[in-house]
């Protein structure tokens, strides 16, 4: 056995430990050389030499620990900057016009009587970052592919509108309709990037901060996935995400950096606008956010390019032989740099350069005005171009560009760098005059003094506008542009659903497994099978989907470079560069981002994908509800499966796994079509109709949410007279009553349908009550249709009043109605207003807990015996039965004792 000194080296904190020194004399020579460099040339020179050695070591493929952060200067040296191919003077004029129109648009939206406001300062800081992209990098869709995917920072949308105005993509009337989408229809412009509101313009919603970077990572990954599977050629597509340094505090912003590095997504570039400010103050007043972000991104395996200073700093840094200027830059906190952005050159001379004679000497030949105009790199077109070019050329890693800017740049002293600048929406006359002068725009004073300030357009035939059109033509078309080129899919016929319609016979299966069987048959279809994208957060086996491993395989761009521990098994874990299944690990946020990217591929790349995202229902809408709203905004389509649903169905897991409310949360999303099916044939009909609505002719921008359970039940075959309309609209009768004196109706959904059927039998056998059982496949859709009809009736009193489907369906059904589900009562209560006659609901309100299914259902009083009591109670209210029977039922079934309940079906994870 090797001694301690002979063991493999262990790197701790970047320093070698337990490493034997085989040549101490040589080691000492190197150490002496370092000491001499420090003694003779100083620490800064020695540090520079060390950095060059590390650089050379990497060139020679000598492994060295990664540096977490570098000096507070530009990553790209001046001598390494490429030739700038643009006309900087023309681009400056274009940008000045864009800056003006963006600010004026927001200011005009704040005029009296409107007051809808907007944000000026974010775009003012990031305008150059966007302009270089528009002029030289962002690929459009004119070549027939998806072009580049650009995630614009939400608060910068006025600048994107302003540029589109110069290009005649938007009119002056539309700019004046900013944030007035209904009152100024059809000219209204949405406040932020909202594809649902402007489906020909925006592609990606980003203003729910943190979701933009997350979505961009998984969009870049989806591009690689589609190419690997031969669905679309995405090799030319690059994903750009524009973010704020304050936004990076959101957990979603940094939470998935590792997957981008792990999969080598060099088709992805983050541009972080480091204006050092959040909405109300500095991001890191006492620290340095660029250095912090550099450490985080480097540690995650990203290529980092810092763009800190503009070209006016180059001569100063060139003469910094002893490193005193770099040291000053390294040690000055962000809060102080924010102050420098608002102060005079004299103040900067005294407070930044004045505490060291060497620093003072550097700026002796500079005027105060020149010192004041020592700028930030994010405003320098040539240096931005160099950073973008380096990012596009870099291979093997995603890149982040950390660009320092000034929030409110060029807007004047009342805006620039001020803590309140994010909330400032209106420019005074004096602000406008100063702004105009700084931008050198030919606008007369009288045009600024007589009401709303004017927009500026240099003329359609001007050199600037022609330049803009030429640049966009060279880059493949205008951006942002959303184009839907996808054709309707050829959908499978009824044969694909035959298995589910046969039922399960004597076998008991959960609805989760019933769905999986439908999906497996659909994935075999020659036309659409390859377009399915199964997605799960490390729970495929729980959901019974490990059967897909051998055939569909799990997507991994590196393949499977190891022998799987279960390789001898029939359902062995299989990874492949062309795998179909996305196995994203324990990250619902990452899975939902994959869902959105896949679900919008029909627009992004013109190739429809059919994502099927399966998760623990408790951790779907509750944990990532904001992303489902993002999905709706992005017009994404697909199937979302809330598995192990219900408050009492997964009771062994306890409180945090017991979902009794996701259907209610789903009802808040207007694009979500939510169902709670009980049987396999219902699932088949719902999936078939979902494919038609989302991928057939006249496709709709909706997505489907199905809650499925892990409790095994017997699934009946589809009846010959199946009520397909009822299944799809949300209510159909599954078992008419056979005998009894008094009538009642039991409405149940999902796993509660078998309890309702058991209650039906008890009522008939023991209480002489005939109760029909209805499967409420969608409480949500019943309510949605009823609300729409009620709205129509309200606004059209002169027309024959329409009747909601649920009212029409139950109009002739005799007796009181009792609704039951494994959800809180608010779910079935959604339809109470439109149910004719007496209506009572039972539900699992409150927290879930760990126990048997039977005990939990007795506790919540939603089991069969409790349904019986509810029906008898309603009949007693109507005088049909004596109230004394109610106490008899409670005593007979021991409804106050949870231990008296049958434990119920056990197990059944899938």
């Amino acid at each position: 056995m090797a001694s301690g000194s002979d063991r493999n080296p262990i790197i701790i904190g970047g320093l070698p430990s337990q490493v034997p020194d085989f040549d101490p004399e040589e080691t000492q020579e190197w150490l002496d050389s370092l000491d001499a460099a420090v003694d003779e040339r100083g620490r800064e020179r020695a540090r520079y030499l060390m950095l060059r050695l590390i650089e050379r070591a990497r060139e020679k493929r000598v492994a060295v620990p990664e540096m977490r952060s570098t000096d507070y200067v530009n990553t790209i040296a001046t001598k390494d900057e490429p030739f700038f191919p643009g006309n900087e003077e023309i681009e400056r004029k274009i940008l000045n016009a864009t800056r003006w129109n963006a600010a004026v648009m927001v200011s005009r939206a704040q005029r009296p009587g409107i007051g809808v406001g907007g944000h000026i300062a974010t775009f003012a800081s990031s305008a150059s970052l966007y302009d270089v992209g528009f002029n030289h990098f962002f690929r459009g869709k004119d070549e027939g592919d998806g072009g580049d995917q650009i995630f614009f920072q939400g608060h910068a949308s006025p600048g994107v509108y302003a540029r589109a105005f110069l290009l005649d993509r938007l009119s002056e009337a539309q700019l004046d309709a900013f944030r007035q989408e209904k009152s100024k229809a059809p000219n209204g412009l949405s406040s932020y990037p909202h594809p649902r509101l402007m489906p020909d313009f925006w592609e990606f919603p980003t203003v729910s901060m943190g979701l933009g970077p997350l979505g961009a990572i998984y969009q870049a990954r989806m591009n690689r996935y589609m190419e690997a599977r031969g669905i679309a050629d995405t090799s030319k597509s690059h994903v750009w995400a524009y973010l704020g340094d304050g936004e990076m505090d959101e957990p979603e912003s940094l939470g998935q950096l590792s997957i981008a590095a792990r999969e080598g997504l060099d088709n992805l570039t983050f541009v972080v606008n480091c204006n050092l400010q959040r909405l109300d103050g500095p991001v890191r007043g006492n620290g340095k956010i660029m250095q912090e972000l550099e450490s985080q991104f480097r540690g995650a395996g990203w290529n980092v390019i810092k763009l800190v200073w503009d070209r006016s700093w180059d001569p100063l840094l060139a003469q910094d032989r002893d490193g005193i200027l770099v040291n000053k830059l390294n040690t000055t906190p962000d809060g102080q740099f924010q102050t420098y952005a608002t102060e005079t050159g004299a103040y900067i001379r005294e407070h930044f350069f004045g505490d060291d004679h060497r620093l003072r000497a550097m700026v002796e030949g500079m005027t105060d005005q020149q010192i004041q105009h020592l700028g930030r790199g994010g405003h320098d077109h040539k240096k931005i171009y160099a950073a973008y070019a380096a990012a596009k050329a870099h291979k093997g890693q995603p890149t982040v560009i950390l660009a320092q800017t000034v929030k409110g740049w060029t807007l004047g002293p009342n805006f620039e760098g001020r803590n309140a600048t994010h909330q400032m929406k209106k420019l005074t006359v004096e602000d406008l005059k100063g702004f105009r002068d700084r931008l050198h725009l030919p606008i007369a004073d009288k045009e600024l003094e007589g009401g709303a300030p004017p927009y500026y357009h240099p003329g359609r035939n001007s050199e600037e506008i022609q330049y803009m059109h030429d640049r966009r033509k060279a880059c493949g078309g205008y951006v942002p542009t959303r184009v839907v080129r996808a054709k309707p899919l050829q959908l499978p016929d009824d044969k694909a659903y035959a298995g589910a319609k046969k039922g399960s016979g004597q076998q008991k299966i959960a609805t989760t497994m019933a769905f999986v069987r439908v999906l497996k048959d659909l994935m075999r279809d020659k036309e659409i099978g390859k377009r399915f994208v199964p997605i799960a957060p490390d729970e495929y086996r729980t959901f019974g989907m490990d059967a897909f491993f051998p055939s569909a395989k799990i997507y991994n761009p590196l393949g499977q470079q190891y022998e799987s521990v279960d390789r001898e098994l029939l359902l062995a874990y299989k990874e492949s560069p062309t795998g179909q299944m996305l196995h994203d690990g324990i990250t619902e946020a990452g899975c939902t981002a994959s869902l959105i990217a896949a679900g919008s591929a029909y627009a992004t790349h013109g190739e429809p994908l059919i994502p099927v995202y399966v998760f623990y229902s408790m951790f779907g809408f509750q944990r990532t509800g904001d992303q489902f709203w993002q999905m709706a905004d992005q017009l994404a389509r697909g199937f979302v499966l809330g598995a192990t649903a219900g408050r009492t169905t997964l009771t062994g897991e306890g409180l945090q796994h017991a979902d009794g409310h996701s259907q209610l949360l789903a009802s808040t999303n207007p694009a979500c079509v939510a169902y709670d099916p009980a049987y396999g044939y219902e699932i088949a009909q719902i999936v078939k109709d979902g494919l038609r609505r989302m991928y057939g002719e006249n496709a709709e921008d909706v997505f489907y949410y199905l809650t499925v359970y892990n409790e095994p039940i017997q699934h009946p075959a589809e009846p010959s007279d199946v009520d397909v309309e009822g299944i799809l609209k949300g209510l159909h009768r599954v078992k008419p009553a056979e005998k009894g004196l008094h009538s009642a109706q039991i409405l149940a959904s999902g796993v509660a349908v078998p309890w309702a059927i058991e209650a039906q039998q008890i009522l008939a056998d023991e209480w002489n009550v005939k109760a029909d059982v209805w499967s409420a496949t969608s409480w949500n859709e019943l309510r949605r249709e009823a609300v729409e009809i009620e709205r129509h009736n309200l606004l059209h009193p002169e027309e024959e009043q329409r009747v909601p489907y649920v009212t029409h369906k139950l109009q002739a059904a005799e007796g009181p109605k009792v609704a039951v589900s494994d959800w809180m009562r608010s779910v079935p209560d959604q339809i109470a207003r439109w149910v004719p006659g007496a209506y009572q609901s039972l539900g699992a309100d409150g927290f879930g807990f760990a126990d048997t299914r039977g005990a939990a259902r007795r506790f919540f009083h939603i089991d069969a015996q409790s349904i019986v009591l509810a029906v008898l109670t309603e009949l007693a209210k109507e005088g049909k039965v004596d109230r004394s029977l109610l106490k008899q039922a409670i005593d007979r079934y021991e409804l106050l004792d949870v231990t008296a309940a049958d434990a119920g079906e056990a197990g059944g994870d899938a």
Side-chain angles (χ1 to χ4, degrees), residues 841-885:
S841 65
L842 304 177
D845 288 72
F847 290 111
F849 53 87
D851 210 313
T852 65
R853 288 169 174 152
R857 288 160 189 169
R858 178 59 53 87
F859 174 83
F860 286 117
H861 297 299
I862 55 176
D863 58 355
Q865 292 75 16
S866 298
I867 297 171
V868 169
L869 176 63
V871 170
L872 294 176
T873 299
E874 292 304 310
L875 289 171
K877 288 178 183 178
E878 296 180 353
K880 301 291 180 62
V881 301
D882 193 273
R883 289 191 61 82
S884 63
L885 296 183

Side-chain angles (χ1 to χ4, degrees), residues 44 47-48 51 69-78 81 288 290-291 294 298 304-310 313-314 316-318 320 323-331 337 352 375-377 383 402-404:
E44 288 302 320
R47 183 174 184 274
Y48 177 79
L51 292 174
S69 64
T70 58
D71 286 326
Y72 202 59
V73 294
N74 295 342
T75 300
I76 301 173
T78 305
E81 292 173 7
K288 299 178 83 65
M290 291 184 75
Q291 302 297 83
E294 180 184 22
R298 283 190 187 278
V304 179
I305 298 174
K306 286 198 301 193
L307 176 55
V308 193
W309 308 115
D310 72 6
W313 286 87
D314 289 348
L316 297 179
L317 289 165
D320 186 32
I324 186 65
L325 177 56
V326 170
N327 182 65
K328 184 69 174 178
L329 297 173
N330 285 340
T331 56
F337 277 125
F352 184 81
R376 313 293 168 92
K383 292 193 179 290
L402 304 174
Q404 186 169 192

